[in-house]
Amino acid sequence: MGFFTLTFIIWIACLHQLIISTTLTWSFSFIENTQNPDNVILATYTNIPQEEGIDIVCRCYDDHHEHKLPFLTSDLRELMRLKLEGNSFNFNEKHFVHTHRIAMGTKMAVAFSFISMADFKKRLLAASPMKPFVWKRFIGDIFSLWKIPMEVSIFVNFANSFHPTIKYTCELSSERAFFVDTEVLKGPPLSSLKILDSQTHFKPTETFQYTHFSSCHPVNIKKGFMKEALRLLRTNSVKDNFNKYMYK
C-alpha cells in the first residue's frame, strides 16, 4: 500500500506541472519574473473543498490526455478520494476522521493544491473586472503588480466573494513586499536600471541556531546548512546582504 501511494502521489505531482506558466517553483523563479511595481499585493490562504479539487484534477487529466487516458478518470477519482478521505487523528482522547478540505500533512496536498489553485486563478482572473499586469503564484501565495492602487481593494473584495471557502488577505506597498522567503524592495538600481532589489525574508521566530557538525545527527541534516547558503545566494541581489545573513 505504501509503494502504491507513493507512486500515485508522484504521478499527481507530475500532472500539476502541466498547469499554467504563472506557477512559480522557487524563489529564483520569482525573482527572475519580478518587474518594477507601482503597487504589490500578497496573499492567500487556501481552503480547497475535497470534491471540488477532485473534479478539477480529473478535468485537467482528461484535457491533458485528450481523452486517450492511461486509465479511467473514474478510477483516478476514487484513488484521490481514498487518499484524501483516509486521514484521521486523535485529540483529547477522541478519534476524528478528516472529511472536509485538505490535510496539510499529506504528500498529495501540494500537487493537489497546485492544480486546484491554478484552476481557481484562471477562473478568477477571467471573471474579474480588475486585472493586475503581473501575477505570480506559489500554491496559495500570490505576488501581483498593479498600476492603479484603488483597483487592489476592489479586486480583493471581488476575490473574497468569488468562492465560499477560498479567501484572500493582502499587503499593499509601493516600496517593498514579502513573498514566501523573499523580500522585494525598491533599491538604488531602480532609478538607473529599472530593476528591484531582493533580500532574504526571515520570520520573527528565526533564531539562527545551527547544529554543530560534530553533533550526533545524520549527515543529510548537517548538509542542510549548504542548502541554506544556496537559498541566501539566490534571494539576495546585493553582496553585502548575502554576507550579513550568511554569517549571522
Side-chain angles (χ1 to χ4, degrees), residues 22 27-28 32-33 36 44 100 105 107 138 155 179 208 245:
T22 52
S27 304
F28 186 69
E32 279 191 320
N33 284 279
N36 174 23
T44 63
H100 295 82
K107 292 183 179 180
F138 181 76
F155 176 81
F179 183 76
F208 299 99
Y245 294 126

Side-chain angles (χ1 to χ4, degrees), residues 42-62:
L42 296 175
T44 63
Y45 176 74
T46 60
N47 211 346
I48 306 166
Q50 289 181 1
E51 280 302 316
E52 181 179 343
I54 290 173
D55 288 340
I56 292 170
V57 173
C58 289
R59 187 169 65 250
C60 292
Y61 173 68
D62 287 338

Side-chain angles (χ1 to χ4, degrees), residues 21-85:
S21 61
T22 52
T23 299
L24 299 172
T25 53
W26 59 331
S27 304
F28 186 69
S29 174
F30 164 66
I31 294 169
E32 279 191 320
N33 284 279
T34 303
Q35 304 293 327
N36 174 23
D38 291 316
N39 297 281
V40 178
I41 174 175
L42 296 175
T44 63
Y45 176 74
T46 60
N47 211 346
I48 306 166
Q50 289 181 1
E51 280 302 316
E52 181 179 343
I54 290 173
D55 288 340
I56 292 170
V57 173
C58 289
R59 187 169 65 250
C60 292
Y61 173 68
D62 287 338
D63 292 344
H64 172 64
H65 289 286
E66 298 179 347
H67 304 290
K68 298 176 182 178
L69 307 178
F71 55 89
L72 296 176
T73 305
S74 58
D75 292 338
L76 172 62
R77 184 181 298 274
E78 289 306 311
L79 287 172
M80 285 191 289
R81 284 201 182 110
L82 177 65
K83 180 61 182 173
L84 295 173
E85 296 176 3

Side-chain angles (χ1 to χ4, degrees), residues 17 23 28 31-33 50 57 64 78 89 96 115 120 130-131 136-137 186 190 217 220 230 245 248:
Q17 297 179 12
T23 299
F28 186 69
I31 294 169
E32 279 191 320
N33 284 279
Q50 289 181 1
V57 173
H64 172 64
E78 289 306 311
F89 61 94
F96 297 86
I115 298 173
F120 176 78
M130 308 293 182
K131 295 178 176 62
K136 300 296 175 181
R137 178 182 62 84
K186 291 182 177 179
L190 182 62
H217 283 78
N220 63 311
L230 292 173
Y245 294 126
K248 195 165 184 177

Side-chain angles (χ1 to χ4, degrees), residues 75-215:
D75 292 338
L76 172 62
R77 184 181 298 274
E78 289 306 311
L79 287 172
M80 285 191 289
R81 284 201 182 110
L82 177 65
K83 180 61 182 173
L84 295 173
E85 296 176 3
N87 296 292
S88 62
F89 61 94
N90 288 313
F91 177 74
N92 200 22
E93 298 183 353
K94 294 182 180 180
H95 186 238
F96 297 86
V97 177
H98 193 119
T99 59
H100 295 82
R101 301 162 190 168
I102 309 303
M104 293 180 64
T106 63
K107 292 183 179 180
M108 200 178 87
V110 174
F112 188 87
S113 299
F114 257 116
I115 298 173
S116 301
M117 290 305 298
D119 179 83
F120 176 78
K121 167 260 174 179
K122 184 177 180 180
R123 291 185 288 111
L124 173 62
L125 290 182
S128 174
M130 308 293 182
K131 295 178 176 62
F133 66 91
V134 172
W135 173 289
K136 300 296 175 181
R137 178 182 62 84
F138 181 76
I139 309 180
D141 294 306
I142 294 169
F143 176 92
S144 61
L145 307 180
W146 299 76
K147 294 181 179 179
I148 304 175
M150 67 177 63
E151 290 185 350
V152 178
S153 58
I154 297 174
F155 176 81
V156 173
N157 290 334
F158 177 81
N160 283 333
S161 64
F162 192 74
H163 193 278
T165 63
I166 299 175
K167 302 301 178 183
Y168 284 70
T169 59
C170 79
E171 296 177 18
L172 176 64
S173 173
S174 60
E175 298 298 325
R176 63 184 63 232
F178 302 102
F179 183 76
V180 192
D181 64 347
T182 306
E183 179 183 356
V184 180
L185 64 153
K186 291 182 177 179
L190 182 62
S191 57
S192 57
L193 301 177
K194 304 300 181 182
I195 60 174
L196 294 166
D197 278 339
S198 65
Q199 62 185 26
T200 309
H201 170 59
F202 295 100
K203 294 183 178 180
T205 53
E206 175 60 68
T207 60
F208 299 99
Q209 293 181 338
Y210 301 99
T211 301
H212 196 280
F213 202 81
S214 63
S215 65

